Amino acid sequence: MSYIAEYLWIDGTKPSAKIRSKAKVISDSEKPGIWGFDGSSTNQAAGESSDVVLSPVMVTPDPIRGGDNKLVLCETLLTDMETPHPTNTRAKCAVVAEKYSSFETWFGLEQEYTFFEGTQPLGWPDIGFPAPQGGYYCGVGADEIFGREVVNKHLQACIDAGLSIAGINAEVMAGQWEFQIGPVEAPKVGDEIWLARWLLQRIGEDIKGPKGMPISVSFDAKPIKGDWNGAGCHTNFSTKQMRSSFEACENAAKSLGEPGKPELHIANYGVGVEDRLTGAHETAKYSEFSYGISNRGASIRIPWQVAKDGKGYIEDRRPNANCDPYLVTQMIIDTVCTSASK
């Protein structure tokens, strides 16, 4: 007997990487091993030297095919079988996480996204706009909620795959949703976000919207220009020190605002930051840094419960929905833990 292993990896598409996959039939006596692909077709190699190596980093049950089939998330290597491919941001994240392993860093990522059917957000009229924002967030009813079938199937698929999915909710714009992964350490939280993104897009292939077209997923930071909320990937972060001290939480927030740090983080938090972080729609302006207790208009929010308990975590509200979770978590660890080590 054999099983099917769906190999997944992050490509070299600019300005935002995509997740790719292909299937391999494997004997049930074998585990998924090293494989490869044509990097010249994924913006990761030239045609005259096109081979890129797939090295498994996470294997889960495949909730799409079911049975004994597997999902195999891989990182990309050069053909020397050791050197991380230049597009492999996971490798650097793993190095930084190991360097500061004594801090026992945890992450919880809130992945927002927008459903589309054809060229319009799911549930939007062919002409004009839906009702203004207000009732869609955590709403109910066919006049306000669009895409729940995909969302529920995605939630169950993540559970069946063994991912650390914590919840889901409808977001502020019609057709927009969010799922949360965590708390998980890095780089594993990045692994799980990428797997969950793939599952969401894959499930949408099989479900049609009211116009009869499959439902697609956009991770664009500002999929609809104008007076509509953008889509982020709010990143909750803590160290063992923060989980026992409010002062450590506040120091972490301050460290992200040290000279040069806001600009560095913003430049690596996903394409379209300037369109999303305008100072409106529950965001701080991308060119300014701030932190505050219970303030969703700040760059960094310290939840009110953290202030009350005197310990906990902070939320970086700046990363985009299209961010690279390996890069975001690596930068936060590096900035906060380096500052705390001084």
Side-chain angles (χ1 to χ4, degrees):
M1 295 292 292
S2 300
Y3 65 92
I4 302 169
E6 188 78 22
Y7 277 65
L8 296 78
W9 73 95
I10 315 308
D11 74 2
T13 299
K14 301 291 184 182
S16 296
K18 299 192 297 183
I19 189 163
R20 308 265 186 148
S21 72
K22 62 175 183 171
K24 184 177 186 179
V25 178
I26 300 177
S27 168
D28 61 4
S29 63
E30 299 177 18
K31 295 181 179 180
I34 295 290
W35 203 16
F37 66 95
D38 170 18
S40 67
S41 297
T42 62
N43 302 296
Q44 288 170 293
E48 62 272 16
S49 181
S50 63
D51 291 310
V52 180
V53 175
L54 292 173
S55 179
V57 295
M58 185 176 184
V59 180
T60 75
D62 183 346
I64 305 295
R65 289 192 174 99
D68 294 328
N69 301 304
K70 307 293 183 186
L71 298 180
V72 185
L73 183 70
C74 301
E75 65 176 348
T76 51
L77 305 176
L78 300 183
T79 52
D80 64 6
M81 311 293 281
E82 295 181 358
T83 307
H85 190 274
T87 60
N88 180 352
T89 54
R90 184 187 192 279
K92 187 174 182 180
C93 178
V95 168
V96 172
E98 177 61 29
K99 178 181 178 181
Y100 291 107
S101 59
S102 63
F103 282 79
E104 299 178 13
T105 56
W106 293 353
F107 287 91
L109 272 60
E110 305 172 28
Q111 176 69 69
E112 295 178 343
Y113 58 90
T114 308
F115 284 134
F116 272 74
E117 185 180 9
T119 59
Q120 288 187 297
L122 185 65
W124 284 44
D126 290 332
I127 300 174
F129 300 94
Q133 297 181 154
Y136 306 114
Y137 175 72
C138 296
V140 65
D143 58 335
E144 292 187 333
I145 294 300
F146 313 101
R148 196 184 294 276
E149 181 182 3
V150 181
V151 169
N152 284 339
K153 287 188 175 181
H154 176 251
L155 175 60
Q156 189 60 55
C158 288
I159 292 171
D160 293 344
L163 303 186
S164 306
I165 190 161
I168 56 170
N169 62 268
E171 267 300 333
V172 176
M173 190 181 82
Q176 192 178 73
W177 289 80
E178 170 186 302
F179 65 85
Q180 304 94 33
I181 295 285
V184 183
E185 70 278 6
K188 186 182 178 186
V189 69
D191 298 340
E192 295 200 16
I193 283 288
W194 277 114
L195 270 171
R197 286 175 176 176
W198 183 87
L199 283 168
L200 182 64
Q201 292 171 297
R202 175 63 187 82
I203 290 167
E205 292 178 13
D206 295 336
I207 298 178
K208 291 182 172 59
K211 300 173 187 176
M213 292 181 283
I215 296 174
S216 61
V217 182
S218 170
F219 296 106
D220 195 302
K222 192 74 173 180
I224 300 296
K225 305 300 186 269
D227 193 22
W228 305 95
N229 272 40
C233 188
H234 301 156
T235 301
N236 301 284
F237 169 76
S238 72
T239 63
K240 68 177 182 180
Q241 293 87 349
M242 294 165 66
R243 294 190 290 272
S244 62
S245 164
F246 180 77
E247 182 181 11
C249 294
E250 193 167 34
N251 287 341
K254 290 178 180 177
S255 71
L256 292 165
E258 290 176 357
K261 295 300 182 181
E263 296 81 6
L264 179 63
H265 282 247
I266 286 293
N268 289 280
Y269 274 7
V271 66
V273 166
E274 298 85 354
D275 294 330
R276 174 176 153 263
L277 300 183
T278 61
H281 304 111
E282 299 180 300
T283 70
K285 193 170 178 59
Y286 73 92
S287 57
E288 301 171 357
F289 179 84
S290 60
Y291 75 90
I293 296 171
S294 196
N295 185 357
R296 282 180 164 77
S299 310
I300 309 296
R301 180 178 72 97
I302 301 176
W304 70 270
Q305 190 69 42
V306 171
K308 180 180 178 181
D309 293 344
K311 59 183 179 181
Y313 66 97
I314 62 173
E315 177 193 38
D316 191 336
R317 297 180 58 79
R318 298 170 297 172
N320 280 345
N322 58 17
C323 72
D324 178 344
Y326 297 132
L327 187 54
V328 169
T329 55
Q330 173 245 307
M331 295 190 70
I332 292 175
I333 292 172
D334 205 10
T335 294
V336 173
C337 297
T338 296
S339 178
S341 299
K342 292 177 181 177

